[in-house]
Amino acid sequence: MKSTYYQVLTRVTGSVLAVVIAVGMIAGCASPTKSQKAKGPKYIFFPPAPDEPRVQFLTSFATERDLHNQSHDSFMTFLTGQQPVILPIGKPYGGYAGGGKIYVCDSDAGAVLKLDLVARKMGVVKPDAPGAIQSPLNMAVDANGWIYVVDMARQQLVILDTNENFMAMVGQKGKTKPMDVALTRDRIYLSDVDAHCVHVLDKATRTNLFDIPRPEDVTNIQRRLFQPINLALDAQGHVIVSDLGASRVQIYDADGKYIRSFGEHGNNLGDFTRNKGVAADRDGIIYVVDAAFQNVQMFDENGRLLMAFGGPQVDQASMQLPAKVLMDYDDVPLFQKYAAPGFQVEHLIIVMNQFGPNKVAVYGFGHKK
């Protein structure tokens, strides 16, 4: 049974869609009241008033300083007599969020950054030499805490244990071009843009079980993959593929059987121009990043557009070349303090922007109390 907020989302009105069109695929934000301007922060919501807000921009991170307050820096300067070293976030693409941490695949740094939301500090994942990370693109973390990193320079999937020690690698440079990884208890799903498919591997042995699409669908124009760059799994185990080459999202079941697709190249609502990251929440809502529209569009499980949020000119909530969208249910308590009075955050939506001040932007999906 769908939750109340899902039912509300599926009743997106024509007036909301008209506003989205008017601002060029950008969902607007609620205007602040005079009292907000004078006394408090400006809360940015999507969709715009008078419709009920569903997504609020909460905060963002661009450097390690954004994790802690000024008193922390002052205290460290007092202790050491020196300004603390502040790590920046350079050019993030993929990542992972949950368990009090946000991992960031930073191509500028050539490293995976680890934002510890509880300790309020930032570090770097540094495996030993065989697993040295050179150009991380995307990643996933399994239920045991093992880290799986797609490295563009190595053209491999690098696997680390819970202590960030190198354990194994998948792929061989020059023979594969992995782009993204998704995990279940016993499988690894690895997109390969050169092979135009998603490799499905046994997690224990890391041997290939089969590829998506299945052989009978490889030549089918509707069911095949052209440029599969990002992956997600929904609560039913469906494999959701953001296919940049076809400007659409393809959905398969866990064994590679084609289910449906949605989207096409264009500038209208529900279209894509440069679709990248994709994610699904627990109610089956699918989130798709478009780097050209510089926003995130939200669809129901049948591919019907619900709403959009973000955009290039939305005050503090602006997106600039967004690449990845992540769901985080674990860390809601850490961010509820940023929510507007009367707005209850149900889960976090984290968007990686390759440029601009909001390198790691945190939004809250929720409802009025």
Side-chain angles (χ1 to χ4, degrees), residues 146-201:
W146 282 36
I147 302 170
Y148 295 69
V149 181
V150 173
D151 193 308
M152 284 291 288
R154 295 177 59 133
Q155 296 183 1
Q156 292 175 321
L157 177 68
V158 179
I159 304 174
L160 313 176
D161 68 10
T162 54
N163 296 315
E164 302 174 5
N165 297 315
F166 173 72
M167 298 302 295
M169 66 182 71
V170 175
Q172 185 175 349
K173 189 169 184 177
K175 294 188 176 181
T176 59
K177 192 173 181 180
M179 298 293 290
D180 201 359
V181 58
L183 305 169
T184 64
R185 182 179 59 83
D186 56 1
R187 286 181 175 178
I188 301 171
Y189 293 88
L190 187 65
S191 64
D192 186 334
V193 72
D194 277 358
H196 313 290
C197 72
V198 176
H199 304 298
V200 183
L201 312 175

Side-chain angles (χ1 to χ4, degrees), residues 10-22 51 269 304 306:
T10 57
R11 296 197 294 270
V12 176
T13 66
S15 63
V16 172
L17 295 182
V19 171
V20 176
I21 293 172
D51 292 277
L269 288 165
R304 187 170 74 93
L306 301 175

Side-chain angles (χ1 to χ4, degrees), residues 196-211:
H196 313 290
C197 72
V198 176
H199 304 298
V200 183
L201 312 175
D202 179 88
K203 194 175 177 185
T205 64
R206 295 179 286 278
T207 56
N208 196 76
L209 300 173
F210 59 90
D211 290 339

